[in-house]
Amino acid sequence: MNRQYRDELDKVRLSAQSKQQLIDRLHEQSAPQTAKKCGRKRRAVVLAVAACVVLAATAGAAVLHDTLRHLWTYESQPVYEAYKTDLGRTQTADGWTVTLTDCVGSENMLYIGVELTVPEGTDPNEPYRFGDYDMTFPDGSRATIGGGINEAPPYDGPDGSTLHFVWHMNVAPDSRAEPQSLQGKTVDLTINSVYRLDWNAETDRYDEILMTDHVWKFEDVKLDYPTADTTYAVDKPVEYLGGTATLDEITVSPFGVKVSISGGSVLHHHAENRAKDGDCLMCALTVYDADGNVLYENPQWGGAGSQCDEDAGTTVIYHDYQTADWDKILIDPAKVAKVKVNNVEIPLR
């Protein structure tokens, strides 16, 4: 086989599903339309050989990992499988390989799995960190307002020469009451530099040792993750911060519940009542199934993306599902039959 093709195929990273789809497609193309035509027989043979070459060349290629799998509890895995999508984008520079593996998201949070494969001869057991990173739309405008790249839990050491990370991003812009969904959008993802962390006993901190200053830019990444976010209009009075406000609506997703409250005790709350009534993002939430069993309960406050505008009298509170030990949970929205926000019950089924 031509050496050029072998070298290029050796760099291919296909998931098992994509590999099989490619081979099936080649087999389809090899089927003759009419019998006993020499040219078509030759074409069939060539395509069959090509299928074998692809299978052989990609057999040793790294199968894409579900890096995000361990971000959620074991019981959450079926929901994760239903709502994740594979990205399979990889680039190598200076011997360091960065791969975007999988992706899941809702209207306020986005998670992307990232793998870092160290060069041959480099110790993968050292702590490595990325430098700067960003997500932008093709026109250069920013797509998120915050986040970070952290080791994927639970961290039990490298997988051979590959380390696993989770890139989590807050989608909701500060200046908007309603977040912009990234589902189905095309974005550019940039990861800048890799550092090794060396402990410095004299300064009692880690020193960052630059390993490569390469900038990995993944252009035109399509965020085709499935979503099941459903908004329910409520428009009922709700007890809130020592007074009464209006519970406008809730949005239920596999990741949690968004609560929208306005008017009444939301207005100018901070200035007069914070010490007495607590933070404006405090809001009790309970989620039930059809049999009345509690699927999730949080008597306190919301998480990332929550925001309160006391002058406008609006509050948006995101309750991200998690256990008492802060382990993340995914809940199938089809199992959610009722939601209770403070004193208001909202039947969904």
Side-chain angles (χ1 to χ4, degrees):
M1 181 176 58
N2 187 300
R3 176 61 181 270
Q4 173 190 350
Y5 298 149
R6 164 61 68 178
D7 290 343
E8 292 180 358
L9 283 168
D10 283 344
K11 299 177 183 178
V12 173
R13 292 174 62 89
L14 295 176
S15 66
Q17 179 181 7
S18 297
K19 187 189 303 180
Q20 187 59 52
Q21 288 174 345
L22 177 57
I23 294 170
D24 291 343
R25 179 62 176 163
L26 288 169
H27 280 307
E28 290 174 6
Q29 293 295 322
S30 69
Q33 301 299 315
T34 58
K36 299 181 180 179
K37 288 195 176 181
C38 181
R40 291 186 178 179
K41 282 186 178 180
R42 185 179 297 112
R43 176 171 175 267
V45 171
V46 170
L47 287 170
V49 171
C52 294
V53 168
V54 170
L55 180 59
T58 59
V63 175
L64 295 178
H65 297 98
D66 292 333
T67 304
L68 298 177
R69 175 183 300 277
H70 298 297
L71 190 58
W72 290 278
T73 61
Y74 175 79
E75 293 76 13
S76 301
Q77 295 308 306
V79 185
Y80 160 77
E81 288 291 342
Y83 290 99
K84 65 100 173 180
T85 189
D86 293 327
L87 295 179
R89 299 286 296 271
T90 186
Q91 295 179 16
T92 299
D94 301 333
W96 297 82
T97 298
V98 173
T99 301
L100 308 180
T101 57
D102 51 339
C103 171
V104 293
S106 66
E107 72 166 29
N108 71 305
M109 291 298 293
L110 181 68
Y111 301 90
I112 293 178
V114 180
E115 288 184 347
L116 175 66
T117 302
V118 306
E120 184 177 355
T122 301
D123 186 0
N125 293 288
E126 296 286 349
Y128 296 98
R129 295 292 182 272
F130 295 107
D132 198 11
Y133 33 82
D134 200 7
M135 172 189 285
T136 59
F137 292 115
D139 64 3
S141 60
R142 296 198 65 193
T144 61
I145 63 169
I149 302 181
N150 302 307
E151 292 170 343
Y155 185 70
D156 296 324
D159 176 14
S161 59
T162 299
L163 297 88
H164 306 284
F165 297 84
V166 172
W167 188 352
H168 61 94
M169 287 159 275
N170 186 358
V171 177
D174 284 325
S175 60
R176 304 186 188 184
E178 292 297 327
Q180 56 181 349
S181 173
L182 292 179
Q183 197 278 332
K185 299 290 180 64
T186 298
V187 297
D188 296 336
L189 296 166
T190 303
I191 298 177
N192 187 344
S193 308
V194 174
Y195 293 87
R196 187 185 72 234
L197 302 183
D198 286 357
W199 180 252
N200 188 326
E202 293 183 2
T203 61
D204 197 31
R205 55 176 293 179
Y206 282 102
D207 293 333
E208 293 185 341
I209 310 300
L210 180 65
M211 306 303 292
T212 174
D213 61 358
H214 180 76
V215 178
W216 287 269
K217 186 168 185 179
F218 299 89
E219 297 181 322
D220 299 328
V221 178
K222 190 69 175 294
L223 301 177
D224 270 338
Y225 53 87
T227 59
D229 297 15
T230 304
T231 299
Y232 301 88
V234 181
D235 194 24
K236 291 183 178 180
V238 61
E239 295 176 358
Y240 182 67
L241 300 175
T244 302
T246 299
L247 176 57
D248 298 313
E249 63 184 27
I250 62 171
T251 299
V252 179
S253 82
F255 302 89
V257 177
K258 182 187 77 170
V259 177
S260 298
I261 301 175
S262 66
S265 52
V266 180
L267 287 161
H268 305 292
H269 168 263
H270 283 64
E272 301 175 4
N273 302 316
R274 173 181 281 188
K276 177 169 64 73
D277 299 322
D279 188 274
C280 70
L281 300 182
M282 293 188 68
C283 172
L285 177 80
T286 310
V287 177
Y288 302 88
D289 66 13
D291 296 323
N293 300 310
V294 174
L295 298 175
Y296 175 77
E297 186 173 24
N298 185 346
Q300 301 183 47
W301 49 81
S306 300
Q307 52 193 314
C308 176
D309 186 335
E310 63 169 342
D311 293 323
T314 59
T315 296
V316 175
I317 302 172
Y318 288 98
H319 276 278
D320 298 324
Y321 297 141
Q322 57 190 7
T323 68
D325 296 326
W326 302 95
D327 294 325
K328 291 182 177 295
I329 307 171
L330 294 173
I331 297 177
D332 185 351
K335 294 183 177 180
V336 179
K338 184 175 68 174
V339 173
K340 183 178 180 181
V341 177
N342 287 350
N343 64 313
V344 178
E345 294 188 352
I346 307 108
L348 308 183
R349 301 281 184 269

